[in-house]
């Protein structure tokens, strides 16, 4: 493999890591804005809406150019393809941070519900931890770490189902606060979907490391696991 190819592949990996760091920062800022009722911060997140889109396009161009430069070996080819796919998951996470920021701006401050927000905080922290850990797993090509992060998503699904039921029940009890509760439902749904994309990232890490395509989403593969976990709480 040529020196030029090796250098370009290293740059591609570096750009992907930067995109992951940016996605993590946007997720942190968006969830913080929502939970702190900080419209200024939310608008700052919205102003950066294009960032991850631009980074994904740049990564795609680099990856295609790299594959055209020289026929890569199997391991390198897997990593390039995986970065192409995984960058789309990071871009989708960026889209979800935008949804959270918009919900923050649209939510009337008079309608915040503290009891619900305590639960949402738990979910937001868990998803942020997952994204941070999966980028660490990518940096170290850590298969074990990727599996551990994927298993964390089961708890995301449990919290999501529990909160969804609680919020729907609260909506029936307090119809005057339905707009706020709808925002909370949107928030937890967005965080749950973010967790799914992080699981996708874990699957791509394992593909890079082993060449195996695996399905790692336990809560989606077997919904009974979620119900069993709920009964234990």
């Amino acid at each position: 493999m040529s020196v030029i190819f090796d250098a370009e592949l290293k740059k591609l990996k570096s750009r992907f890591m930067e995109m992951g760091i940016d996605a993590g920062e946007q997720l942190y800022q968006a969830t913080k804005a929502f939970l702190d009722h900080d419209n200024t911060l939310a608008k700052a997140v919205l102003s950066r809406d294009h960032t991850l889109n631009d980074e994904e396009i740049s990564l795609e161009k680099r990856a295609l150019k790299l594959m055209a430069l020289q026929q890569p070996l199997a391991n390198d080819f897997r990593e390039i393809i995986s970065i192409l796919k995984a960058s789309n998951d990071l871009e989708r996470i960026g889209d979800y941070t935008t949804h959270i920021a918009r919900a923050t701006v649209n939510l009337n401050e008079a309608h915040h519900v503290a009891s619900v927000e305590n639960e949402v905080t738990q979910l937001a922290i868990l998803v942020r931890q997952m994204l941070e850990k999966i980028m660490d797993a990518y940096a170290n090509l850590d298969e074990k770490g990727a599996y551990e992060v994927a298993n964390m998503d089961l708890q995301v699904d449990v919290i999501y189902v529990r909160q969804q039921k609680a919020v729907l029940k609260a909506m029936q009890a307090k119809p005057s606060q339905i707009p706020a509760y709808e925002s909370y439902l949107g928030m937890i749904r967005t965080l749950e979907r973010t967790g799914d994309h992080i699981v996708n990232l874990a699957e791509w890490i394992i593909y890079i490391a082993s060449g195996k395509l695996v399905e790692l989403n336990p809560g989606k593969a077997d919904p009974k696991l979620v119900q069993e976990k709920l009964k234990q709480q």
Side-chain angles (χ1 to χ4, degrees):
M1 199 61 62
S2 73
V3 174
I4 294 175
F5 181 91
D6 288 342
E8 288 300 316
L9 180 57
K10 186 176 181 179
K11 287 179 184 178
L12 184 69
K13 295 177 184 179
S14 178
R15 295 293 186 276
F16 178 74
M17 280 299 301
E18 289 173 7
M19 186 177 180
I21 291 169
D22 287 344
E25 180 63 19
Q26 285 192 209
L27 179 62
Y28 174 78
Q29 297 292 343
T31 52
K32 186 177 189 300
F34 186 93
L35 297 168
D36 291 351
H37 318 153
D38 188 340
N39 282 5
T40 300
L41 181 57
K43 289 175 182 177
V45 173
L46 289 173
S47 72
R48 297 192 296 272
D49 179 35
H50 61 88
T51 303
L52 291 175
N53 294 337
D54 293 345
E55 288 181 297
E56 183 192 17
I57 293 170
S58 176
L59 272 174
E60 181 178 339
K61 289 179 178 178
R62 280 181 173 274
L64 294 175
K65 181 180 178 181
L66 190 55
M67 286 190 287
L69 180 67
Q70 183 172 331
Q71 187 67 34
L73 297 174
N75 289 347
D76 293 328
F77 181 77
R78 282 205 307 268
E79 182 149 23
I80 295 168
I81 292 298
S82 297
I83 287 175
L84 272 173
K85 297 289 188 178
S87 65
N88 182 253
D89 285 302
L90 290 177
E91 190 275 332
R92 290 297 296 140
I93 290 171
D95 288 343
Y96 291 144
T97 66
T98 300
H99 296 169
I100 294 169
R102 286 204 183 98
T104 302
V105 173
N106 294 334
L107 185 60
N108 188 321
E109 288 191 12
H111 291 157
H112 290 293
V113 184
S115 60
V116 176
E117 290 189 3
N118 291 336
E119 290 286 301
V120 174
T121 299
Q122 181 184 358
L123 184 57
I125 291 172
L126 179 57
V127 172
R128 292 192 314 226
Q129 288 174 342
M130 287 174 64
L131 183 54
E132 181 178 341
K133 287 177 180 294
I134 204 60
M135 293 311 300
D136 285 342
Y138 172 75
N140 298 301
L141 211 55
D142 180 1
E143 284 188 78
K144 182 181 177 182
Y147 277 108
E148 289 174 353
V149 171
N151 287 332
M152 290 171 70
D153 191 58
L154 179 58
Q155 185 59 25
V156 171
D157 291 338
V158 169
I159 297 172
Y160 168 67
V161 171
R162 185 179 69 219
Q163 289 184 357
Q164 186 181 51
K165 290 180 178 178
V167 172
L168 289 172
K169 184 177 180 180
M171 289 172 72
Q172 294 175 340
K174 297 181 179 179
S176 63
Q177 291 188 316
I178 283 178
Y181 286 126
E182 287 177 338
S183 291
Y184 293 125
L185 282 175
M187 174 72 163
I188 61 175
R189 187 180 304 113
T190 297
L191 288 170
E192 188 271 335
R193 289 176 179 172
T194 300
D196 288 341
H197 283 281
I198 295 171
V199 172
N200 290 347
L201 294 173
E203 293 171 357
W204 290 121
I205 289 170
I206 291 167
Y207 178 61
I208 293 170
S210 68
K212 298 176 182 177
L213 288 170
V214 293
E215 172 61 52
L216 295 181
N217 202 317
K220 301 298 185 298
D222 187 0
K224 290 182 181 178
L225 290 174
V226 176
Q227 296 304 320
E228 289 172 2
K229 287 284 187 180
L230 283 167
K231 289 177 183 178
Q232 295 170 8
Q233 297 183 356

